[in-house]
Amino acid sequence: MCGRFSLYLPPAALESRFEAEPPADLQPRYNCAPGQSLPVLAADDTGRMRRMKWGFTPSWADESFDLINARVETVREKRSFTDAYESRRCLVPADGFYEWTRRDGGKWPYRVSFADDRPFAMAGLYETWTPPTRQAGIGEFGRDEPTGEERVEAFTVLTTEPNDLVSELHDRMAVVLRPEHERAWLDGFLDHETLATPISDDEFRAYPVSTRVNSPANDDPSLVEPVELGS
């Protein structure tokens, strides 16, 4: 799965890489976590990224699902994702992601990134969900009262079988797109076999990081620094 990632590339460099202006208030993030509002580039965006909540809910749902991942093998058939797969795709910028594995009797976080730490895009889907009106506490004239909650725009990250490196840490990994495949993904032209094939492990590195990354409350540069296991 993909449950945490980092994105600390300077805004100017991020804009250059994706040819899209990031949110004006973008700050370096070393511990992006579900439920947070994070920058994505949607298929219908023209030169500008926008923020979405990480945790997808289908538009037809009566309650929040907060689905942070979608399996590439079933995303075309699963009711939660079929509509978004056809028409609401996005890129989720990152420069690394975290996976947890058992080492020395405990569960330890590892950071996975390209060997040169270059940014990349994970394949994502997004949806707009409107919380339903109340079914209890009906108003004076017998009509449902609105909840008062805003519409929620949210995304999920696709996952696939891991490459050899990540397979030592977890049985899933994020779908990391090659730059030449990003536009094809957004426009619906990337074939499913290419989408599901993980990038070769010889382009990646994985190293242990501090267990401080376990808490989303921690978000500072020390989280991406390598550590000795058990320290």
Side-chain angles (χ1 to χ4, degrees):
M1 65 177 294
C2 176
R4 299 285 177 81
F5 64 91
S6 60
L7 180 62
Y8 54 85
L9 193 70
L14 187 65
E15 181 174 0
S16 176
R17 165 61 177 81
F18 291 100
E19 299 182 345
E21 183 181 349
D25 60 349
L26 185 67
Q27 297 294 320
R29 301 296 301 272
Y30 303 90
N31 197 7
C32 300
Q36 295 176 352
S37 177
L38 301 166
V40 304
L41 182 61
D44 60 352
D45 286 335
T46 54
R48 183 181 295 273
M49 298 180 189
R50 63 187 194 255
R51 289 185 174 276
M52 296 185 192
K53 173 192 168 187
W54 187 8
F56 179 106
T57 297
S59 61
W60 45 260
D62 291 331
E63 59 184 358
S64 178
F65 282 17
D66 294 331
L67 301 169
I68 66 170
N69 290 154
R71 295 175 67 96
V72 72
E73 297 89 345
T74 59
V75 69
R76 292 176 292 182
E77 294 81 29
K78 196 166 184 178
R79 185 187 175 208
S80 295
F81 303 120
T82 50
D83 287 347
Y85 183 82
E86 290 299 322
S87 58
R88 286 180 293 280
R89 300 180 178 192
C90 63
L91 304 179
V92 182
D95 44 41
F97 59 88
Y98 300 100
E99 295 293 355
W100 279 255
T101 192
R102 295 205 171 274
R103 293 284 191 274
D104 298 335
K107 208 167 185 182
W108 206 271
Y110 278 66
R111 183 171 181 264
V112 181
S113 68
F114 279 102
D116 59 3
D117 230 17
R118 67 182 182 270
F120 54 87
M122 299 181 290
L125 305 174
Y126 71 97
E127 184 62 275
T128 300
W129 177 67
T130 304
T133 56
R134 292 193 188 102
Q135 299 304 308
I138 295 178
E140 179 181 358
F141 299 104
R143 302 188 185 96
D144 291 334
E145 294 180 342
T147 61
E149 296 181 72
E150 301 281 337
R151 298 195 321 168
V152 178
E153 199 168 39
F155 71 91
T156 189
V157 174
L158 269 65
T159 66
T160 188
E161 293 288 329
N163 59 30
D164 290 343
L165 177 67
V166 178
S167 69
E168 297 180 4
L169 308 174
H170 202 276
D171 61 359
R172 304 292 296 173
M173 69 175 286
V175 172
V176 176
L177 297 167
R178 292 194 178 279
E180 62 268 27
H181 294 156
E182 291 170 3
R183 190 71 248 174
W185 161 248
L186 289 178
D187 293 342
F189 299 129
L190 186 63
D191 68 273
H192 204 73
E193 182 178 357
T194 299
L195 179 68
T197 302
I199 293 179
S200 173
D201 61 288
D202 59 10
E203 299 186 50
F204 286 91
R205 61 174 177 167
Y207 58 90
V209 294
S210 170
T211 55
R212 293 182 62 247
V213 79
N214 294 353
S215 171
N218 298 322
D219 191 2
D220 60 74
S222 70
L223 299 183
V224 302
E225 297 297 326
V227 301
E228 294 292 331
L229 285 176
S231 63

